[in-house]
Amino acid sequence: LLTNEDPKSIIVWSVLTGKVLFTYSDKYPIYDISWSLDGNKLFAYTQEDTIHAWSVDTWKEFITLPQMASSDPWSPDFTRAISVDKTTNQTTATVNIYDLESGKHVTSINAEKATGNLNWIPNSHLFQVSLNYEDHYEYPVYDAFDGKLIKELERLSTSLQSDRNRFFVIPCSKFDNKKCMQSTTLLVDIFSPTHAVTLSETLIDTPFVSWSKKGDRFLSVGESGDINIWDATSGTILTTLRIPQRSGTMLSMYETGNSTHLVETTFQKAFWSPDDTFIATLDCYVSPNPGQACNSGAIRGWNSATGTEIFSVPGQEFAWSSTGDRILVSDDKIIKQWYI
């Protein structure tokens, strides 16, 4: 068990005996503390941009890496660490890669036009560098083991939810004032990047993606606000979930009284049932009046194979049961349980 009495200290306790096993105090606040995946090492990252690492067997510090100028300095598998050294004119950065077992320097990468922003790719030892050019951005991905560029993963979209080893890559072919105007979307396995699946439509303006539990399908919000269900193998749309526009009465923020408008409905959330048979969505009614907030409308259930709506109940939040045969719906006042 790990606790801290103040931002500059670490205390490790035995949960069996309740005794203190290890303490550490630093001159600077400790920003991040993490156990290694096997639980045999403890890592700390301080305000001084220094990584400290201890072995659980002896509690001796076996690594001290200074000048780790990165908000996320170690890889998800705790095998590599990264630092970024920027030039005086801030146009070029040197990315230094270190081995977290030995603390030795592995290799360096010179990144022209680098902003200094680095992102680790989840479930991997790959990382992404942000490059800022006059008319566009680029996001090359490197392997932290040898520093080699993974060309097939350029323009990787880490904002969209990944599925284990598969990620969405959005290479842009046309820019306008650094905004991508024409692009495709690739679904890439990081362990086999040359065998990418090209999606039939781009996901560049997609707010979110949700994967099925089996990983054979995923859903995305289309540009029209509809939800598309995709086949992950072929990259094609299988079916679309669509809410029809409807007339409704809502209170205007800038007018007195109620007025009737054609109400636009959009999806806010969407989640698969545990067995992937159904999809539950939360939609809201958008007022045509400027500044009017999005009003929660309904929790809807859909057949994921056909895209057919099977139920609709008022609500603002929902949660599936572990078996997928029931759903909890809250309207901010009361929680009801519904059987599917």
Side-chain angles (χ1 to χ4, degrees):
L1 177 65
L2 191 149
T3 63
N4 62 331
E5 294 180 344
D6 61 75
K8 300 179 182 179
S9 67
I10 299 172
I11 305 175
V12 180
W13 305 75
S14 168
V15 294
L16 297 178
T17 65
K19 294 182 179 180
V20 174
L21 299 175
F22 171 69
T23 61
Y24 173 75
S25 296
D26 199 274
K27 295 187 298 182
Y28 300 91
I30 300 172
Y31 281 167
D32 195 2
I33 307 170
S34 294
W35 298 98
S36 61
L37 297 181
D38 58 11
N40 293 326
K41 301 180 184 69
L42 180 65
F43 297 92
Y45 176 55
T46 69
Q47 185 186 43
E48 195 187 18
D49 298 326
T50 298
I51 290 179
H52 301 272
W54 300 269
S55 171
V56 172
D57 295 333
T58 61
W59 291 112
K60 291 184 178 180
E61 186 169 348
F62 67 93
I63 285 180
T64 303
L65 292 175
Q67 297 179 338
M68 305 301 292
S70 172
S71 59
D72 194 11
W74 47 66
S75 61
D77 59 4
F78 295 95
T79 59
R80 290 291 188 266
I82 286 181
S83 71
V84 181
D85 297 328
K86 299 204 70 174
T87 59
T88 304
N89 57 11
Q90 302 289 300
T91 59
T92 303
T94 300
V95 180
N96 296 304
I97 303 174
Y98 298 87
D99 186 334
L100 268 185
E101 289 290 335
S102 63
K104 294 182 178 180
H105 180 263
V106 177
T107 188
S108 297
I109 300 169
N110 291 323
E112 186 180 359
K113 303 295 183 182
T115 64
N117 296 328
L118 297 178
N119 294 307
W120 287 101
I121 308 306
N123 311 317
S124 75
H125 48 78
L126 307 179
F127 64 93
Q128 186 179 50
V129 180
S130 177
L131 305 181
N132 185 3
Y133 290 91
E134 292 183 0
D135 58 345
H136 69 285
Y137 296 99
E138 290 184 10
Y139 307 92
V141 175
Y142 295 89
D143 191 326
F145 274 108
D146 52 21
K148 290 184 178 180
L149 175 68
I150 312 296
K151 293 183 178 180
E152 291 83 4
L153 291 180
E154 292 198 53
R155 188 69 183 178
L156 179 67
S157 178
T158 53
S159 63
L160 297 180
Q161 182 181 343
S162 64
D163 172 60
R164 301 176 185 90
N165 303 320
R166 291 179 293 179
F167 296 86
F168 295 99
V169 180
I170 307 178
C172 191
S173 56
K174 182 180 180 181
F175 289 91
D176 184 7
N177 194 25
K178 293 192 176 182
K179 179 177 175 58
C180 185
M181 305 302 295
Q182 185 176 344
S183 69
T184 56
T185 299
L186 307 177
L187 183 58
V188 180
D189 189 322
I190 60 173
F191 296 116
S192 182
T194 57
H195 298 89
V197 176
T198 302
L199 303 189
S200 58
E201 294 183 8
T202 182
L203 299 184
I204 191 168
D205 294 320
T206 299
F208 71 86
V209 165
S210 176
W211 283 86
S212 65
K213 304 299 185 294
K214 296 177 182 177
D216 59 337
R217 293 174 294 169
F218 64 90
L219 62 82
S220 67
V221 176
E223 293 183 358
S224 62
D226 301 329
I227 289 182
N228 293 322
I229 300 177
W230 298 76
D231 178 78
T233 302
S234 64
T236 57
I237 297 174
L238 298 172
T239 188
T240 299
L241 314 184
R242 183 173 291 113
I243 307 174
Q245 286 187 329
R246 50 176 288 186
S247 294
T249 301
M250 56 182 9
L251 183 64
S252 169
M253 291 182 65
Y254 301 105
E255 302 171 4
T256 303
N258 293 331
S259 55
T260 300
H261 303 282
L262 184 67
V263 180
E264 179 186 355
T265 54
T266 61
F267 289 107
Q268 285 187 302
K269 298 179 181 178
F271 293 100
W272 298 80
S273 64
D275 61 358
D276 294 338
T277 303
F278 304 105
I279 295 171
T281 64
L282 168 63
D283 59 64
C284 66
Y285 306 143
V286 183
S287 170
N289 299 312
Q292 177 80 21
C294 186
N295 298 277
S296 294
I299 307 297
R300 302 175 190 267
W302 308 77
N303 183 304
S304 65
T306 64
T308 305
E309 183 178 338
I310 57 176
F311 71 84
S312 175
V313 295
Q316 297 181 359
E317 296 290 340
F318 66 88
W320 284 104
S321 67
S322 59
T323 55
D325 61 337
R326 290 162 294 161
I327 189 170
L328 292 177
V329 176
S330 169
D331 62 359
D332 202 29
K333 295 181 180 179
I334 189 172
I335 298 176
K336 294 182 179 181
Q337 178 179 254
W338 297 84
Y339 286 86
I340 307 302

